[in-house]
């Protein structure tokens, strides 16, 4: 009787602990920053001291606490409409991370499915998928996003769809390449000889062996999607006012930079921390998942 050879699985807590022990101080700081940002985003409605959309024109453009004209209770000051910058930053962080997470997940599902289909089926299907990948790479996606948002509008659903289309080609290329490599492995040939069909091979033999590169790509694409969402909001094509996102806050606050820079500092620093933490986390996972790097 022929048995397929499976890659031994390692428990997630054990892998995380091993990677944490081997991480340098910069990576540990990045991980702690990432955890802190996620916690702040999850509990934003409970942490925010004020309604993020509550306006008070009498209190507009008040500086953070410690400066002259600061208003008590407004730790990071107020914006041009008298709204609390801290509350808007926390709610903006929550929405920005939600949009980035949904967009990256949609891109993973869409691109991963096409890459898996191309690798398993091959032939014209593979040629069609890879032609679409090459087209996506050749056209700057920011222009595609601007075109879609101008036609379909700037609702949350449309923005998630646009963000999901960003980077799907990377998932498709990675999955297709890994699948083509694995299709020639002995355990795949053994599964075929045992009568396993394409669907069973994909579910039980291919997908478990391509999880690591997909996780790494997911973390790396998150930061790119955060920057894309911030860019679209900065240009006024993202989530529409008064709903706050980090990019929208920076875009509106740029007009007040000379007189009220605190409006921009808080959301801009959050964007910086997100991209820093996610990029370091992606490198960390890559080093831990790459067999060649671990063997050195």
């Amino acid at each position: 009787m022929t048995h397929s050879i499976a890659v031994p699985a390692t428990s997630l807590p054990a892998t995380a602990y091993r990677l944490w022990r081997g991480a340098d101080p910069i990576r540990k700081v990045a991980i702690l920053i990432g955890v802190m940002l996620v916690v702040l985003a999850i509990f934003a409605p409970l942490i925010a001291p004020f309604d993020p959309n509550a306006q008070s024109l009498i209190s507009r453009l008040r500086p953070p606490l410690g400066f002259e004209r600061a208003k008590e209770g407004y730790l990071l000051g107020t914006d041009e409409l008298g709204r609390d910058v801290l509350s808007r930053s926390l709610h903006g962080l929550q929405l920005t991370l939600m949009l980035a997470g949904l967009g990256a997940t949609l891109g993973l599902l869409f691109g991963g499915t096409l890459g898996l289909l191309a690798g398993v089926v091959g032939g014209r299907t593979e040629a069609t998928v890879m032609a679409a990948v090459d087209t996506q790479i050749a056209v700057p996606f920011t222009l595609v996003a601007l075109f879609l948002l101008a036609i379909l509008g700037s609702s949350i659903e449309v923005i998630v769809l646009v963000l999901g289309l960003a980077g799907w080609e990377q998932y498709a290329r990675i999955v297709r390449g890994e699948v083509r490599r694995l299709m020639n492995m002995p355990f795949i040939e053994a599964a075929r000889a045992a009568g396993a069909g394409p669907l069973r091979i994909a579910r039980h033999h291919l997908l478990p062996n391509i999880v690591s590169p997909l996780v790494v790509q997911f973390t790396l694409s998150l930061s790119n999607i955060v920057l894309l969402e911030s860019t679209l909001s900065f240009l006024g094509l993202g989530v529409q006012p008064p709903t706050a996102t980090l990019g929208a806050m920076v875009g509106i606050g740029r007009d007040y930079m000379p007189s009220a820079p605190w409006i921009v500092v808080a959301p801009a620093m959050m964007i910086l921390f997100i991209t820093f933490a996610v990029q370091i986390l992606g490198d960390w996972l890559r080093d831990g998942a790459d067999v060649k790097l671990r063997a050195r």
Side-chain angles (χ1 to χ4, degrees):
M1 181 177 179
T2 305
H3 298 279
S4 62
I5 302 174
V7 177
T10 303
S11 66
L12 183 60
T15 302
Y17 178 70
R18 175 178 59 80
L19 292 175
W20 172 264
R21 288 189 59 186
D24 56 45
I26 295 180
R27 291 181 179 179
K28 290 183 177 179
V29 170
I31 294 167
L32 293 176
I33 290 175
V35 171
M36 180 186 67
L37 290 173
V38 171
V39 171
L40 289 176
I42 292 174
F43 296 102
L46 301 177
I47 299 174
F50 300 99
D51 182 346
N53 297 323
Q55 302 180 14
S56 176
L57 296 181
I58 300 177
S59 304
R60 65 189 301 268
L61 299 178
R62 293 293 185 93
L65 288 181
F67 292 86
E68 186 180 357
R69 293 185 60 251
K71 186 174 181 179
E72 184 178 356
Y74 291 81
L75 183 63
L76 298 181
T78 61
D79 64 6
E80 75 285 356
L81 296 177
R83 298 171 296 191
D84 181 42
V85 172
L86 175 59
S87 299
R88 289 184 64 76
S89 296
L90 291 173
H91 282 267
L93 173 66
Q94 183 184 61
L95 184 54
T96 295
L97 288 181
M98 183 193 73
L99 291 175
L102 291 176
T105 301
L106 184 60
L108 169 63
L109 294 176
F110 181 63
T113 301
L114 289 180
L116 183 64
L117 186 65
V120 173
V121 177
R124 293 184 178 180
T125 301
E126 181 180 14
T128 302
V129 171
M130 297 315 296
V133 168
D134 293 337
T135 302
Q136 175 83 352
I137 295 174
V139 179
F141 186 76
T142 303
L143 298 179
V144 177
L146 294 176
F147 176 75
L148 292 176
L149 290 173
I151 293 178
L152 302 178
S154 299
S155 65
I156 297 292
E157 294 78 8
V158 172
I159 293 174
V160 170
L161 175 62
V162 170
L163 296 177
L165 293 176
W168 71 267
E169 75 280 1
Q170 299 297 331
Y171 293 111
R173 294 182 67 183
I174 290 173
V175 172
R176 180 254 184 186
E178 289 294 312
V179 169
R180 297 298 293 174
R181 179 182 65 84
L182 291 170
M183 291 297 284
N184 296 321
M185 299 294 287
F187 69 92
I188 297 296
E189 296 179 358
R192 285 174 174 170
L199 183 59
R200 180 175 180 82
I201 290 175
R203 289 181 57 187
H204 296 280
H205 301 282
L206 295 177
L207 289 178
N209 287 281
I210 61 176
V211 169
S212 293
L214 287 181
V215 169
V216 174
Q217 179 59 34
F218 183 85
T219 59
L220 294 177
S221 67
L222 267 177
S223 61
N224 293 330
I225 292 179
V226 168
L227 292 177
L228 176 61
E229 187 279 325
S230 300
T231 301
L232 296 176
S233 297
F234 183 86
L235 296 174
L237 293 174
V239 178
Q240 297 302 301
T243 305
T245 65
L246 299 180
M249 293 181 66
V250 173
I252 295 174
R254 72 184 186 275
D255 295 330
Y256 299 89
M257 279 292 292
S259 59
W262 58 85
I263 299 178
V264 174
V265 170
M269 290 301 296
M270 285 187 176
I271 294 174
L272 176 63
F273 286 146
I274 291 172
T275 54
F276 169 75
V278 171
Q279 289 288 355
I280 296 298
L281 179 60
D283 291 340
W284 182 54
L285 291 176
R286 180 202 61 195
D287 294 347
D290 196 319
V291 178
K292 296 180 180 178
L293 292 176
R294 293 204 308 264
R296 292 180 181 176

